[in-house]
């Protein structure tokens, strides 16, 4: 993990938030390469689950919602951790993480009795901060889709099964263990709520477990680093009949990457009861109304980014040097091509390199760099996962060809400038 953290800071993937003020614990900012990687993960997820399907519809619900949403969902009543405070050092700990519930693991002081702490961030809507204006930052994106269930029925008129997909921020005021971006208080989710006939729930639950597992494989995660773990009955959330985690072998050990849950009809039933609105689906085939069951694949984008970074990180011996390279899938690589002038003191070579780089930008993410020797530039791009490096040299002025270097094989090929873009697009496919 130390190597991943160091690489992320050194190359502009992820920075400690508010770093110049000493930072804010467990909050992170994504730098130039990090935001591209994160956006590429989101694009790949959206393309797979919305654009390439005809039964899933996109959503973007508000972060702030009516407080009764969280009463209906059970978050106000059930969404809490038992925590103990140290009377000496004042640190707070989750009771579930303590080996001895009486002694502080940090200083050895005495711990208070465990007390429930709700995990939702509270704020107030309006100029007066009183209980009448209390609202919450959403702890999950799912409820924004449930409360729009009827709106989707009225506008898209779908038949079962169908789903809603959303990518968005969520907030949980929990104690975090400090494992980089694995668990944070502010995070981004990618969630699907898939509505099915109750009798079909088990079938689609199994379908989505396999679908989501295979998605990670398709983007390059190694099979030996992924596994499926079904929850025991005593692990299940209050709304779930079944849940399977897709786990990844992070540097901290096997941990959840994404969860797929059978939420039954809990959410639609509760929102119907609390709002007084009829959220039943009219099944035209049998001329009956009923509440569909919901299958929910819910993944964390920050965890996905961390998994892809970890899985792609390689150290290789090249002659007497060690090459660090991120072998990211082509769809995820932040930069597809980098263009260099071999000699930055030759204006005509620099001008041609900049012109080539600018010409590639309209087709895919490319960059120009002349801030070091060619070997150093190659290593720099290897560390951020750039797929192809294009070098403009003296000979390029004469034969109108450039040298293209492949990230993974380090093989080089001379390509005509006039067909460079076509050559790279064929290599990149539709990424």
């Amino acid at each position: 993990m130390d190597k991943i953290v160091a690489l992320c800071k050194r190359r502009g993937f992820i920075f400690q938030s508010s770093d110049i003020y000493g930072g804010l614990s467990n909050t992170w900012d994504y730098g130039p390469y990090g935001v591209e990687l994160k956006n590429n993960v989101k694009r790949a997820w959206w393309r797979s689950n919305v654009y390439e399907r005809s039964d899933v519809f996109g959503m973007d619900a508000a972060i702030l919602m009516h407080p009764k949403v969280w009463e209906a969902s059970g978050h106000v009543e059930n969404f809490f951790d038992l925590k103990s405070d140290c009377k000496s050092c004042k640190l707070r700990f989750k009771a579930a993480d303590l080996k001895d519930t009486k002694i502080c693991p940090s200083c050895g002081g005495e711990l208070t009795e465990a007390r429930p702490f709700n995990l939702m961030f509270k704020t107030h809507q309006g100029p007066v901060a009183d209980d009448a204006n209390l609202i919450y930052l959403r702890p999950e994106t799912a409820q924004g889709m449930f409360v729009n269930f009827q709106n989707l029925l009225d506008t898209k008129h779908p038949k079962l099964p169908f789903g809603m997909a959303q990518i968005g921020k969520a907030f949980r005021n929990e104690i975090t263990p400090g494992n980089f971006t694995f668990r944070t208080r502010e995070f981004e989710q990618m969630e699907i709520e898939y509505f099915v006939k109750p009798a079909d729930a088990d079938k689609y639950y199994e379908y989505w477990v396999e679908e989501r597992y295979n998605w990670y494989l398709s983007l390059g995660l190694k099979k030996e680093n992924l596994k499926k773990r079904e929850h025991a009955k005593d692990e299940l959330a209050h709304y779930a009949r079944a849940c399977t985690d897709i786990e990844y072998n992070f540097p901290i050990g096997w941990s959840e990457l994404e969860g797929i849950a059978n939420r039954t009809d809990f959410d639609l039933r509760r929102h119907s009861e609390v709002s007084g609105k009829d959220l039943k689906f009219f099944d035209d085939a049998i001329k009956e109304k009923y509440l569909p069951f919901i299958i929910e694949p819910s993944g964390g984008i920050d965890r996905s980014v961390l998994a892809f970074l970890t899985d792609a990180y390689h150290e290789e011996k090249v002659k007497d040097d060690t090459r660090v390279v991120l072998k990211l899938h082509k769809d995820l690589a932040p930069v597809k091509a980098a263009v260099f002038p071999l000699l930055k003191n030759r204006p005509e070579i620099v001008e041609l390199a900049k012109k080539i780089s600018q010409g590639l930008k309209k087709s895919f993410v490319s960059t120009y760099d002349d801030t070091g020797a060619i070997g150093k530039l190659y290593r720099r791009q290897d560390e951020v996962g750039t797929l192809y490096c294009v070098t403009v040299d003296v000979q390029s002025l004469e034969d109108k060809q450039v040298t293209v270097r492949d990230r993974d094989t380090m093989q080089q090929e001379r390509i005509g400038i006039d067909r460079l873009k076509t050559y790279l697009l064929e290599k990149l496919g539709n990424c």
Side-chain angles (χ1 to χ4, degrees), residues 173-243:
N173 192 20
E174 60 183 337
I175 294 175
T176 58
N179 290 320
F180 199 27
T181 58
F182 178 78
R183 189 186 304 279
T184 57
R185 295 184 177 96
E186 174 187 345
F187 55 96
E188 202 160 3
Q189 290 181 294
M190 43 191 184
E191 289 193 314
I192 298 168
E193 306 304 330
Y194 199 70
F195 304 93
V196 303
K197 296 177 181 178
D200 294 338
D202 291 342
K203 176 179 71 173
Y204 283 109
Y205 168 69
E206 297 295 336
Y207 164 82
W208 277 108
V209 170
E210 294 304 314
E211 187 77 5
R212 297 303 307 139
Y213 176 80
N214 289 328
W215 182 80
Y216 290 103
L217 291 177
S218 74
L219 288 172
L221 290 190
K222 299 179 188 69
K223 195 167 187 176
E224 60 266 29
N225 288 332
L226 282 177
K227 69 179 181 181
K228 291 168 277 190
R229 186 185 70 84
E230 190 168 1
H231 284 209
K233 294 299 181 184
D234 60 357
E235 286 184 272
L236 294 174
H238 63 278
Y239 53 75
R241 173 179 290 184
C243 184

Side-chain angles (χ1 to χ4, degrees), residues 4 23 101 149 201 235 244 246 255 266 269 297 370 374-375 392-393:
I4 298 297
T101 58
F149 178 73
E235 286 184 272
T244 294
I246 298 171
S255 299
F266 173 85
R269 176 165 45 81
D370 62 7
I374 195 68
V392 181
D393 53 30

